[in-house]
């Protein structure tokens, strides 16, 4: 491998040449303590910046081996290193100057969740950190001396400060790794104790604002009602008391503005681990939990929604329901069926974002509109069977509809942000009120293989260069935080609420393209495509789906979001 001295001479020799001469720098260069790879060089100063990576061998980085023993440890370690690298890189952004993106030095910015990312990965031999640099130019003329500053003055500092144990704040890193181990321990305890979720005493659930995911200052800390309290004994933190939400049907009730949705939101996010200081570090939910909501206008392909919708006025078949523009109730029904298909054992529902006609039908309405004129079997009449017969638990926020009290195994009241267990009091009240119909006949979950169409263009175009056929892969275009275009098709995932990071959206785009390229026959089974993608991720990680050029900005989605993406394509 060539050394950094060679890179310096190569760089100086192309100074003031036209921009494409930068391409000659691609490749790996040894810097002694690390290897610098110039993976992809941008075509001009205004194009997407160049992609670089550094690899530091473990014997040089010298982080304790026990910090990278398990996948969860590695994820926590990588997350910590990435955040440190980002802080360092900030000091040097645009310190080198020039036109367009000259001097940009950028790396992924993780939010409150700790996710596996392509930006930093811990392999068996080495740590890889991927980032982007805007190669400097004046106009379109190479300014090699400015790039020399970045690669020889700035970058070595970033690497030394963030990717070596010697320079790392050891106590903070240890806390981050131990936190991940404690979080994993709680996830395993959930299963052993028959819990769907755990919310620790002292947790801070509300966020700073609608646009900030940071904890609210001076919030009322969470405290479990005694009747629901469990105390776990974490390997590092020790004893931790909190609210154990049992599997089954749980209703969260309470007046408007008392903190119901905030609790549910925290549970939605509890499928991921959070960083120390987030306030939700010890809010842990069944990792398969899916937020269910109405999603007017979504696309639905061949979903059997007959559990909730028996017939359509148009006479359409609801066991093979497809539409480009679903209504509130049909979209929510499809979301439920698809979530169960995606392996969810816990549905999270907020009345605020539900289709009322899917959730309940009151007694007066049943008298006015006879059952045979109403295609909808309300969720109320399916919920107990979902748990009893299919093992799917439900946590449901209600503000106006009392009927669910009849079904609830546990009822939590949020009262001025304090959780109160009102199960027995409410059940006593119910004893002398009329009981609505609570189960509908013929509960049966669809078990057939659902098919989706992944065929269609997998290449944007074929061009001919001489007698060589050039095939270009479908282009992925970022459309904000929750949407992307693959070729000409746009996919909007804004109502997939547990998609929490822009980089997860990007990863879904890459996975969808991979699926199209590799299993793109018409009528592939949704489950088999999702399974194949999950297997790919298990074996090769996110990078495996990218081919030669691994972008620095992908984060791992859950299998449930992979399904959600395929389902909306
Ligand atoms: P609900 O769904 O019951 O109407 P929300 O969960 O939307 O209520 O909460 C209403 C407001 O109270 C929100 O602005 C939220 O940020 C704030 N809030 C929620 N929980 C707390 C808390 N523990 N401490 C302080 N403020 C809170
Ligand atoms: Mg609410």
């Amino acid at each position: 491998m060539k050394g950094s001295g060679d890179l310096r001479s190569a760089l100086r020799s192309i100074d003031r040449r036209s921009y494409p001469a930068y391409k000659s720098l691609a490749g790996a260069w040894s810097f002694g303590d690390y290897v610098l790879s110039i993976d992809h060089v941008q075509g001009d100063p205004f194009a997407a910046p160049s992609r670089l990576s550094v690899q530091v061998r473990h014997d040089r980085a010298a982080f304790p081996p026990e910090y990278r023993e398990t996948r969860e440890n590695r994820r926590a370690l990588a997350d910590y290193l990435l955040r440190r690298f980002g802080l360092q890189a900030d000091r040097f952004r645009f310190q080198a100057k020039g036109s367009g993106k000259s001097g940009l030095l950028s790396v992924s910015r993780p939010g409150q969740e700790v996710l596996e990312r392509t930006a930093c990965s811990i392999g068996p031999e080495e740590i890889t950190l991927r980032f982007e640099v805007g190669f400097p130019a004046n106009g379109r003329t190479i300014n090699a001396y400015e790039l020399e500053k970045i690669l020889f003055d700035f970058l070595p500092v970033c690497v030394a400060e963030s990717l070596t144990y010697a320079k790392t704040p050891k106590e903070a890193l240890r806390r981050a790794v131990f936190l991940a181990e404690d979080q994993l321990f709680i996830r395993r305890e959930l299963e052993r104790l028959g819990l769907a979720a755990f919310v620790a005493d002292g947790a801070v659930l509300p966020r700073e604002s609608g646009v900030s995911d940071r904890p609210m200052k001076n919030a009322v800390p969470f405290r479990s009602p005694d009747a629901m309290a469990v105390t776990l004994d974490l390997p590092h933190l020790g004893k931790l008391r909190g609210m154990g939400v049992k599997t089954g049907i749980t209703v969260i009730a309470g007046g408007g503005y008392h903190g119901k949705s905030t609790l549910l939101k925290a549970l939605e996010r509890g499928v991921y681990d959070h960083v120390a200081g987030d306030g939700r570090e010890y809010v842990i939910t069944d990792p398969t939990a899916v937020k269910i909501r109405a999603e007017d206008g979504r696309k639905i392909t061949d979903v059997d929604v007959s559990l909730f919708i028996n017939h359509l006025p148009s006479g359409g078949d609801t066991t093979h329901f497809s539409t480009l523009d679903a209504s509130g109730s049909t979209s929510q029904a499809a979301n439920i069926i698809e979530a169960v298909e995606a392996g969810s054992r816990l549905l999270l529902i907020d009345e605020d974002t539900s289709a009322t006609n899917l959730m309940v039908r009151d007694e007066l309405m049943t008298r006015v509109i006879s059952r045979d004129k109403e295609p909808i079997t309300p969720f109320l009449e399916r919920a107990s069977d979902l748990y009893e017969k299919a093992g799917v638990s439900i946590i449901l926020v209600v503000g106006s509809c009392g009927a669910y009290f009849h079904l609830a195994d546990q009822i939590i009241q949020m009262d001025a942000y304090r959780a109160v267990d009102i199960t027995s009091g409410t059940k006593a009240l119910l004893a002398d009120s009329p009981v609505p119909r609570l189960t509908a006949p013929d509960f049966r979950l669809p078990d057939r293989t659902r098919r989706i169409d992944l065929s269609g263009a997998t290449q944007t175009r074929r061009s001919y260069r001489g007698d060589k056929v050039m095939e270009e892969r479908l282009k992925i275009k970022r459309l904000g935080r929750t949407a992307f275009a693959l070729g000409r098709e746009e996919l909007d995932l804004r109502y997939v609420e547990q998609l929490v990071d822009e980089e997860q959206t990007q990863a879904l785009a890459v996975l969808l393209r991979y699926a199209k390229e590799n299993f793109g026959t018409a009528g592939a089974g949704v489950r088999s495509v999702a399974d194949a993608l999950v297997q790919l991720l298990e074996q090769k990680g996110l990078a495996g789906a990218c081919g030669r050029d691994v972008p620095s900005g992908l984060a791992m989605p859950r299998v449930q979001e992979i399904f959600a993406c395929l389902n909306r394509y």
Side-chain angles (χ1 to χ4, degrees), residues 258-276:
H258 279 253
K260 305 182 298 295
S261 298
T262 303
L263 172 58
L264 193 78
K265 196 100 221 153
L267 294 171
E268 288 166 27
R269 294 296 180 96
V271 299
Y272 300 112
D273 288 347
H274 289 89
V275 286

Short mmCIF file of all heavy atoms in Angstrom, two decimals, residues 258-276:
data_model
loop_
_atom_site.label_atom_id
_atom_site.label_comp_id
_atom_site.label_asym_id
_atom_site.label_seq_id
_atom_site.Cartn_x
_atom_site.Cartn_y
_atom_site.Cartn_z
N HIS A 258 -53.10 15.61 29.58
CA HIS A 258 -52.54 15.08 30.82
C HIS A 258 -51.33 14.17 30.62
O HIS A 258 -50.83 13.57 31.55
CB HIS A 258 -53.62 14.36 31.63
CG HIS A 258 -54.47 15.32 32.42
ND1 HIS A 258 -54.40 15.45 33.78
CD2 HIS A 258 -55.41 16.21 32.01
CE1 HIS A 258 -55.25 16.37 34.19
NE2 HIS A 258 -55.89 16.85 33.13
N GLY A 259 -50.91 14.00 29.36
CA GLY A 259 -49.67 13.25 29.13
C GLY A 259 -49.86 11.85 28.57
O GLY A 259 -48.93 11.05 28.58
N LYS A 260 -51.05 11.53 28.04
CA LYS A 260 -51.30 10.19 27.48
C LYS A 260 -50.47 9.93 26.23
O LYS A 260 -49.76 8.93 26.14
CB LYS A 260 -52.79 10.02 27.11
CG LYS A 260 -53.77 10.29 28.23
CD LYS A 260 -55.21 10.06 27.79
CE LYS A 260 -55.67 10.98 26.66
NZ LYS A 260 -55.72 12.42 27.06
N SER A 261 -50.59 10.84 25.27
CA SER A 261 -49.86 10.63 24.02
C SER A 261 -48.36 10.65 24.24
O SER A 261 -47.61 9.94 23.57
CB SER A 261 -50.24 11.71 22.99
OG SER A 261 -51.62 11.62 22.69
N THR A 262 -47.92 11.45 25.20
CA THR A 262 -46.49 11.51 25.50
C THR A 262 -45.98 10.16 25.99
O THR A 262 -44.91 9.70 25.59
CB THR A 262 -46.22 12.59 26.56
OG1 THR A 262 -46.72 13.84 26.06
CG2 THR A 262 -44.75 12.73 26.86
N LEU A 263 -46.77 9.51 26.84
CA LEU A 263 -46.39 8.18 27.32
C LEU A 263 -46.36 7.19 26.16
O LEU A 263 -45.41 6.41 26.00
CB LEU A 263 -47.37 7.72 28.41
CG LEU A 263 -47.23 6.26 28.88
CD1 LEU A 263 -45.83 5.98 29.42
CD2 LEU A 263 -48.28 5.94 29.96
N LEU A 264 -47.39 7.24 25.31
CA LEU A 264 -47.43 6.29 24.19
C LEU A 264 -46.25 6.52 23.23
O LEU A 264 -45.63 5.57 22.75
CB LEU A 264 -48.75 6.40 23.42
CG LEU A 264 -48.94 5.21 22.45
CD1 LEU A 264 -49.40 3.98 23.22
CD2 LEU A 264 -49.92 5.53 21.35
N LYS A 265 -45.96 7.78 22.97
CA LYS A 265 -44.84 8.13 22.08
C LYS A 265 -43.53 7.55 22.63
O LYS A 265 -42.71 7.01 21.89
CB LYS A 265 -44.75 9.65 22.00
CG LYS A 265 -43.94 10.19 20.88
CD LYS A 265 -44.82 10.64 19.72
CE LYS A 265 -44.18 10.23 18.43
NZ LYS A 265 -45.08 10.00 17.34
N ALA A 266 -43.36 7.68 23.93
CA ALA A 266 -42.13 7.13 24.54
C ALA A 266 -42.09 5.61 24.36
O ALA A 266 -41.03 5.04 24.11
CB ALA A 266 -42.06 7.50 26.02
N LEU A 267 -43.26 4.96 24.47
CA LEU A 267 -43.29 3.51 24.26
C LEU A 267 -42.97 3.16 22.81
O LEU A 267 -42.28 2.18 22.54
CB LEU A 267 -44.66 2.96 24.66
CG LEU A 267 -45.00 3.06 26.15
CD1 LEU A 267 -46.45 2.68 26.41
CD2 LEU A 267 -44.07 2.18 26.99
N GLU A 268 -43.47 3.97 21.87
CA GLU A 268 -43.16 3.73 20.44
C GLU A 268 -41.66 3.75 20.22
O GLU A 268 -41.10 2.92 19.51
CB GLU A 268 -43.75 4.84 19.57
CG GLU A 268 -45.24 4.81 19.44
CD GLU A 268 -45.76 6.13 18.86
OE1 GLU A 268 -45.03 6.82 18.12
OE2 GLU A 268 -46.92 6.47 19.15
N ARG A 269 -41.01 4.74 20.82
CA ARG A 269 -39.57 4.89 20.63
C ARG A 269 -38.77 3.87 21.43
O ARG A 269 -37.59 3.66 21.17
CB ARG A 269 -39.12 6.30 21.03
CG ARG A 269 -39.67 7.39 20.14
CD ARG A 269 -39.16 7.23 18.73
NE ARG A 269 -39.67 8.27 17.85
CZ ARG A 269 -38.99 9.39 17.55
NH1 ARG A 269 -37.83 9.62 18.09
NH2 ARG A 269 -39.51 10.27 16.72
N GLY A 270 -39.43 3.28 22.43
CA GLY A 270 -38.75 2.31 23.29
C GLY A 270 -38.34 1.03 22.59
O GLY A 270 -37.70 0.17 23.18
N VAL A 271 -38.67 0.90 21.31
CA VAL A 271 -38.16 -0.25 20.55
C VAL A 271 -36.67 -0.04 20.24
O VAL A 271 -35.98 -0.98 19.88
CB VAL A 271 -38.94 -0.49 19.23
CG1 VAL A 271 -40.40 -0.78 19.54
CG2 VAL A 271 -38.80 0.69 18.27
N TYR A 272 -36.21 1.20 20.37
CA TYR A 272 -34.79 1.50 20.16
C TYR A 272 -34.15 1.83 21.51
O TYR A 272 -34.82 2.24 22.45
CB TYR A 272 -34.63 2.73 19.26
CG TYR A 272 -35.25 2.58 17.90
CD1 TYR A 272 -36.37 3.33 17.54
CD2 TYR A 272 -34.71 1.71 16.96
CE1 TYR A 272 -36.93 3.21 16.27
CE2 TYR A 272 -35.27 1.58 15.70
CZ TYR A 272 -36.38 2.33 15.36
OH TYR A 272 -36.93 2.21 14.11
N ASP A 273 -32.81 1.71 21.56
CA ASP A 273 -32.08 2.17 22.73
C ASP A 273 -31.80 3.66 22.59
O ASP A 273 -31.56 4.15 21.48
CB ASP A 273 -30.76 1.42 22.86
CG ASP A 273 -30.97 -0.03 23.29
OD1 ASP A 273 -32.11 -0.35 23.72
OD2 ASP A 273 -30.03 -0.82 23.21
N HIS A 274 -31.81 4.35 23.72
CA HIS A 274 -31.52 5.78 23.71
C HIS A 274 -30.21 6.09 24.43
O HIS A 274 -29.78 5.34 25.29
CB HIS A 274 -32.69 6.55 24.35
CG HIS A 274 -33.90 6.56 23.48
ND1 HIS A 274 -34.85 5.57 23.53
CD2 HIS A 274 -34.27 7.41 22.49
CE1 HIS A 274 -35.78 5.82 22.61
NE2 HIS A 274 -35.45 6.92 21.97
N VAL A 275 -29.62 7.21 24.05
CA VAL A 275 -28.33 7.58 24.64
C VAL A 275 -28.50 8.05 26.08
O VAL A 275 -29.57 8.53 26.47
CB VAL A 275 -27.62 8.72 23.86
CG1 VAL A 275 -27.07 8.21 22.56
CG2 VAL A 275 -28.55 9.90 23.66
N ALA A 276 -27.43 7.97 26.84
CA ALA A 276 -27.43 8.46 28.21
C ALA A 276 -27.83 9.93 28.21
O ALA A 276 -27.40 10.69 27.34
CB ALA A 276 -26.04 8.29 28.82
#
